[in-house]
Amino acid sequence: MVPRYARPEMTAIWSPETRFAIWFEIEAHATDALAELGVVPKDAAEKIWAAHEAAGPFDIARIDAIEAETKHDVIAFLTHVSERTGPEARFLHQGMTSSDVLDTCLAVQLARASDILIADLDRLLEVLKRRAYEHKLTPTIGRSHGIHAEPVTFGLKMAEAYAEFARNRARLVAARADVATCAISGAVGTFANIDPRVEAYVADKLGLSVEPVSTQVIPRDRHAMFFATLGVIASSIERLATEVRHLQRTEVLEAEEYFSPGQKGSSAMPHKRNPVLTENLTGLARMVRSATIPAMENVALWHERDISHSSVERYIGPDATITLDFALARLTGVMDKLLVYPARMQKNLDRMGGLVHSQRVLLALTQAGVSREDAYRLVQRNAMKVWESDGALSLLDLLKADAEVTAALSPEEIEARFDLDYHFKNVDTIFARVFGEA
């Protein structure tokens, strides 16, 4: 985790203080359930909670010192709890194994992280929707292969991004449900020394579902899907960030990141206004995606468990969620303050002498009885003259002067195919599909 790209709420989920607090809740809730089943004395379970409340926060340095000797993190934690609690601490961890604590804790952390990320997506979606409606009918050029194609609207670009992040939200909700499972099943997961009702009790207290079958660990296909989902969200961030970066290029300049008073773009060139935030987002997206392959490789553990996954998850759990949280917040800020230049969009639309209307003329010729091959030839030969003139010539004028074209279409019929608004007749339909509103 790099502090530069971290926000406090998400970072706190992965702090030692939070981790040990969750560990204690797992252990104490399990002891409560055992007390209800008559396995341990009820007053012992109550005293464990009371001692914890009286003692206050855990001594992280003390736990670390114990672990330096025991070489076992859960044992070090339980030893410290015993020091704070007294003889009743012997009833903690009855029939449990370390993975019951570690895996269930990770599930809680990933669920909490998901809740923050879902809220991040909600804020981004709100901004994208607002910008979509703001520029619903702002004409701009659509590009394929980076080349002018046909007119679209900037609102449609924003609606497309909204739809993509709405899908990502649904994926993350599903991934959260998939990863938020509890395992309190003991060594190799057979419940030999602990009642399955304890697992159900702890799961309910922590807002998790019960893992149907857990060996000694929760199956890592759940985590693989979770981190893969984060990777997809990161890819969507990069896609939108890349769009902004292209639109900000000097020769395009249809939109750009907000440039605040006093901001500097270059140490050498005072005129520069660089897309630094979206470039940063592109890099952050790569880092989030880097967690997906290790998460998938964690699925193949030996037999009922090994710990090859453990070191990986100590990295990717905090790093991927913290980085994605920061990236989503940054992208929301970029899109909220994005400077949009409709006049430049119109200028770019007009730059190539009407070439963007070539398909409508092609279709009109075919509907007038010209074969598709001939219609394509007629339009293309005039279009290439406009292309080679860098837009100095007009496609409309050339077509109206082409005898083969005017043999099939009148000048008025040709002109009718150069109506920009024609391309936007179904924008309302697309918006209704995306936003569910008439």
Side-chain angles (χ1 to χ4, degrees), residues 15-78:
S15 69
E17 292 81 3
T18 299
R19 181 173 73 253
F20 292 135
I22 297 171
W23 285 11
F24 178 81
E25 289 181 27
I26 295 167
E27 295 281 5
H29 285 315
T31 305
D32 286 343
L34 289 169
E36 290 294 327
L37 295 172
V39 177
V40 304
K42 284 190 175 183
D43 65 334
E46 294 169 357
K47 288 178 180 178
I48 288 170
W49 283 105
H52 172 65
E53 292 173 5
F58 293 108
D59 185 341
I60 309 301
R62 175 60 182 153
I63 297 173
D64 289 344
I66 299 170
E67 185 180 355
E69 179 182 349
T70 63
K71 307 298 190 293
H72 196 292
D73 53 357
V74 175
I75 291 175
F77 169 74
L78 291 170

Side-chain angles (χ1 to χ4, degrees), residues 147 352 355 358 376-391 393 395 398-399:
I147 308 300
M352 293 303 291
L355 291 183
S358 69
Y376 197 104
R377 175 180 56 79
L378 294 176
V379 176
Q380 187 184 43
R381 77 182 180 191
N382 288 287
M384 290 303 100
K385 294 176 184 177
V386 178
W387 183 280
E388 290 159 6
S389 77
D390 195 25
L393 297 176
L395 179 62
L398 290 174
L399 290 171

Side-chain angles (χ1 to χ4, degrees), residues 33-189:
L34 289 169
E36 290 294 327
L37 295 172
V39 177
V40 304
K42 284 190 175 183
D43 65 334
E46 294 169 357
K47 288 178 180 178
I48 288 170
W49 283 105
H52 172 65
E53 292 173 5
F58 293 108
D59 185 341
I60 309 301
R62 175 60 182 153
I63 297 173
D64 289 344
I66 299 170
E67 185 180 355
E69 179 182 349
T70 63
K71 307 298 190 293
H72 196 292
D73 53 357
V74 175
I75 291 175
F77 169 74
L78 291 170
T79 300
H80 180 52
V81 173
S82 296
E83 294 173 343
R84 290 158 41 106
T85 304
E88 288 79 12
R90 70 186 187 276
F91 295 112
L92 290 167
H93 211 68
Q94 292 279 310
M96 296 170 60
T97 188
S98 298
S99 292
D100 292 334
V101 179
L102 298 172
D103 279 11
T104 301
C105 175
L106 181 58
V108 172
Q109 290 172 303
L110 293 178
R112 292 179 183 177
S114 297
D115 292 338
I116 293 175
L117 294 173
I118 291 168
D120 291 340
L121 285 167
D122 286 339
R123 286 187 284 272
L124 175 59
L125 288 167
E126 181 182 350
V127 168
L128 290 174
K129 181 177 180 179
R130 175 171 59 78
R131 300 312 301 262
Y133 275 97
E134 179 185 355
H135 292 285
K136 182 178 180 181
L137 293 175
T138 300
T140 189
I141 185 62
R143 297 173 173 89
S144 57
H145 308 278
I147 308 300
H148 282 205
E150 291 192 351
V152 297
T153 75
F154 193 72
L156 285 175
K157 286 178 178 283
M158 296 296 96
E160 182 184 14
Y162 179 97
E164 183 170 351
F165 280 101
R167 293 192 295 272
N168 281 327
R169 187 189 189 282
R171 293 180 184 117
L172 183 55
V173 169
R176 182 201 187 282
D178 208 34
V179 82
T181 62
C182 171
I184 309 290
S185 53
V188 301

